[in-house]
Amino acid sequence: MESAAVPVQTEEKRPSKRSQEAKIGRVKYTLQLIKEMRRDLEEIKLSQRTILAGLKGLFHFGKPMIQRIACGDEVDVEILQLLREAGGVGLLPRNLAARLSAYKVMRRQVSRRIVRMNRKLEKELGERLVEKRGWHWALTSFGNEVWDETEPVSRPWKDGELKGENSLF
């Protein structure tokens, strides 16, 4: 019986390199990963906004979609409804606050809410919903198009049919 020869000198195994987590600590490493993910998410959002801006003429933005993007709660929806009823002249913030007395909203809060809604919608779609006319707040033409339910929806093509598909020449 022969036994396997075991070398007298064995090679020293090099210790494996430490991971980044072990070097800087688990918490800092996790924070770095979160920052990278947020950066990637912002890039994706930017590309989405760019695509939406390029295809803006083809989309019909409905009232529910705009409310989902811009409005935070029912007070915001009510503000937009009051501005729609006021028409092109608009309303002063104090008049809006007086009509929203059930929600206990002050005039400064009304203005801040309107600015916040505009900022959200501008960031997502590049459109403003409400504008200031003098001291009054009024819906923009975009806001009137969205809230005007009497106009038929104009679409570039019918369902299942591309524009110019049925025309002879």
Side-chain angles (χ1 to χ4, degrees):
M1 277 203 323
E2 283 186 32
S3 63
V6 177
V8 179
Q9 294 180 341
T10 58
E11 266 186 51
E12 289 184 26
K13 292 185 177 178
R14 293 184 184 177
S16 61
K17 293 185 177 182
R18 294 190 308 164
S19 66
Q20 190 68 16
E21 179 182 353
K23 290 178 185 176
I24 63 172
R26 182 171 291 166
V27 174
K28 284 186 179 180
Y29 180 70
T30 306
L31 289 174
Q32 275 183 352
L33 289 177
I34 290 172
K35 283 181 185 178
E36 287 177 18
M37 286 183 217
R38 283 185 178 161
R39 195 170 335 141
D40 292 343
L41 185 61
E42 286 301 317
E43 288 177 11
I44 291 170
K45 285 182 179 179
L46 177 65
S47 64
Q48 178 186 10
R49 285 192 299 267
T50 306
I51 292 170
L52 275 175
L55 299 173
K56 191 186 309 183
L58 299 176
F59 287 129
H60 171 71
F61 299 108
K63 190 175 174 181
M65 181 182 175
I66 299 299
Q67 285 179 350
R68 187 173 40 94
I69 292 172
C71 299
D73 56 4
E74 65 271 0
V75 179
D76 292 344
V77 174
E78 191 67 28
I79 288 172
L80 293 175
Q81 187 60 38
L82 289 172
L83 289 173
R84 173 72 180 121
E85 292 169 3
V89 177
L91 287 171
L92 288 169
R94 68 175 175 192
N95 294 343
L96 280 167
R99 292 185 185 184
L100 296 169
S101 60
Y103 298 106
K104 298 180 182 176
V105 178
M106 297 188 321
R107 66 178 173 82
R108 284 183 233 87
Q109 292 171 336
V110 169
S111 293
R112 274 187 282 159
R113 283 175 174 270
I114 290 172
V115 169
R116 187 191 68 224
M117 287 188 284
N118 272 341
R119 187 175 54 239
K120 283 182 179 179
L121 202 63
E122 182 99 33
K123 184 177 180 183
E124 291 296 322
L125 305 176
E127 294 282 347
R128 296 176 61 102
L129 194 57
V130 181
E131 66 185 359
K132 209 160 191 183
R133 295 183 184 158
W135 289 39
H136 296 173
W137 287 104
L139 285 178
T140 60
S141 59
F142 175 75
N144 282 323
E145 287 175 11
V146 169
W147 257 257
D148 191 14
E149 297 171 355
T150 59
E151 283 186 24
V153 177
S154 61
R155 295 186 181 171
W157 59 82
K158 295 178 185 175
D159 292 332
E161 174 183 302
L162 292 177
K163 196 173 193 177
E165 195 173 77
N166 288 337
S167 63
L168 297 174
F169 295 102

